[in-house]
Amino acid sequence: WLAGFVLEDTWGRVIYTAVYFVAGAAALQFHALINSGSLTPLIGASGAVAALMGGFLVRFPKMKIEMRWILGIRSLMRGGYSFSASAYWLLPLWLLEEVFYGSISGQGGGGVAHWAHVGGFLFGAAAAMTLKVSGLENKANQAIEAKTSWTIDPEITQATDLMEQGQLDQAAAVLKQFVAAKPNSVDGWNILQQIYWRKGDTDSCHEALIKLCAAHIRAREPELALQSFDEFLNSGGKNMPAAVWFDVARAAENLQASERAMMEYERLASTYPTDRLSVQALMGAGRMALKLNRAQDALRFFDAAAASKVPHLDLEQSIEAGRRQAQQLLVPAPA
């Protein structure tokens, strides 16, 4: 919590993870070297955590660390004594403390592998220095910045400027060309639906919201997909295309919003009863009902899926398994 998130941001996930595990192994070897005659088994990740502290000291020596010292019950009642300390003197003090306790605890270690902490700390400090001097850290930073940098398409900027100037038709024309070339652009569809809404073109606004919802799903943004779906409904939209609607219900399921997912699956199935997705939607509603311990509703959904006139031979085994599970929940447990 102290050092991990800072070092991960600095080194990137791959280097950070590699240093963590290698440092953990090195800490164990250091402990084994010092305690070569010990028969006490050793398990734990504290040596790897100590390595993060050593790396933190090398990379961020002047960063302030907030400390809270608790001395007795009265101190605890008052919340302890708080003070700030720079890493360059606080962490070496901790290291010296570990050396001291390791020296006096003998082969047994008193239940704490102090020398593993020392070895991990030293390895982490050396690894941090090596990464900095070798330039690997700089390369990792460049890779992180390349992934996280955000650039705005010139068409988005142009359309936004036109929109602010009240030239809605021109802005819409620019964006329509843009989303035709980049149909997955969340920004493009989002601004386009705003333009249509300001123009009072409800039908076009709803079409843009459908596209925006689909774009959020493709971008793996389930919360935003549900938000766009709600905007569609709140603005008077009725029925989304079955495929997009099904993906919205699945997004709600992935977000553990079981009640909402069941409702959307059921509405989809009743709106598009002749679409193949209606059978899968009924099965999805049944899954959610089982998750909510509503066995009667689950059986109703699975029965409806089994009775559907839409060809579903490949789904019959799954439907029957769901029916059996619902029926088992309806049977009262023996006294």
Side-chain angles (χ1 to χ4, degrees):
W1 179 79
L2 169 69
F5 77 97
V6 180
L7 293 176
E8 185 178 2
D9 285 345
T10 304
W11 295 339
R13 291 180 178 179
V14 175
I15 295 178
Y16 171 81
T17 306
V19 169
Y20 182 85
F21 282 110
V22 174
L28 295 177
Q29 291 301 316
F30 192 84
H31 171 86
L33 180 66
I34 300 297
N35 299 279
S36 57
S38 174
L39 298 177
T40 305
L42 172 62
I43 187 170
S46 57
V49 176
L52 299 182
M53 297 169 65
F56 183 86
L57 173 63
V58 170
R59 289 300 291 109
F60 307 99
K62 296 182 180 180
M63 186 173 288
K64 295 283 187 178
I65 300 173
E66 294 291 332
M67 299 293 294
R68 188 175 297 276
W69 205 277
I70 298 175
L71 300 171
I73 299 298
R74 290 183 179 180
S75 172
L76 179 62
M77 298 292 288
R78 292 195 298 265
Y81 302 98
S82 300
F83 65 94
S84 297
S86 297
Y88 66 81
W89 71 264
L90 182 65
L91 293 181
L93 280 179
W94 178 84
L95 178 63
L96 290 174
E97 181 184 42
E98 291 302 298
V99 171
F100 173 74
Y101 282 117
S103 300
I104 66 173
S105 60
Q107 290 287 318
V112 178
H114 295 287
W115 290 113
H117 299 170
V118 175
F121 190 98
L122 296 175
F123 182 92
M129 183 63 69
T130 301
L131 288 170
K132 184 178 180 181
V133 173
S134 66
L136 286 175
E137 180 181 305
N138 187 43
K139 292 179 180 178
N141 276 324
Q142 291 175 354
I144 293 170
E145 289 175 4
K147 286 184 177 181
T148 58
S149 60
W150 183 59
T151 57
I152 303 176
D153 291 287
E155 293 87 349
I156 297 292
T157 304
Q158 181 185 1
T160 303
D161 292 339
L162 290 170
M163 186 178 172
E164 291 176 353
Q165 296 168 14
Q167 302 179 42
L168 300 182
D169 291 332
Q170 294 88 331
V174 170
L175 284 175
K176 281 195 287 188
Q177 278 191 325
F178 176 70
V179 295
K182 295 184 177 180
N184 293 333
S185 172
V186 169
D187 292 329
W189 289 115
N190 186 33
I191 300 174
L192 192 56
Q193 65 90 12
Q194 293 179 40
I195 291 173
Y196 286 137
W197 181 254
R198 287 175 60 174
K199 289 179 62 178
D201 189 346
T202 306
D203 291 339
S204 296
C205 179
H206 288 162
E207 285 295 322
L209 279 170
I210 291 171
K211 299 291 187 182
L212 176 60
C213 193
H216 280 310
I217 289 168
R218 286 192 291 269
R220 297 182 181 180
E221 299 169 341
E223 298 94 342
L224 296 176
L226 275 173
Q227 182 179 326
S228 298
F229 181 75
D230 288 335
E231 289 179 17
F232 173 81
L233 296 177
N234 294 335
S235 61
K238 298 297 182 184
N239 302 320
M240 271 201 172
V244 181
W245 202 344
F246 185 82
D247 285 338
V248 168
R250 190 159 53 184
E253 181 178 351
N254 292 336
L255 290 171
Q256 305 300 316
S258 302
E259 190 80 41
R260 175 68 185 276
M262 185 179 71
M263 181 182 71
E264 298 305 338
Y265 279 133
E266 184 178 13
R267 288 179 56 212
L268 167 60
S270 63
T271 303
Y272 297 100
T274 60
D275 193 294
R276 173 165 169 86
L277 282 174
S278 65
V279 181
Q280 293 176 258
L282 287 168
M283 294 172 62
R287 284 198 310 273
M288 295 302 96
L290 288 173
K291 204 168 188 178
L292 294 166
N293 292 318
R294 291 163 57 173
Q296 193 68 53
D297 287 332
L299 185 60
R300 173 170 60 86
F301 289 131
F302 284 117
D303 283 343
S308 174
K309 296 181 180 180
V310 178
H312 56 271
L313 186 62
D314 57 322
L315 300 175
E316 284 186 353
Q317 288 187 345
S318 299
I319 294 172
E320 188 57 33
R323 291 181 74 251
R324 285 197 301 269
Q325 190 175 354
Q327 289 168 344
Q328 290 171 359
L329 290 176
L330 287 171
V331 176

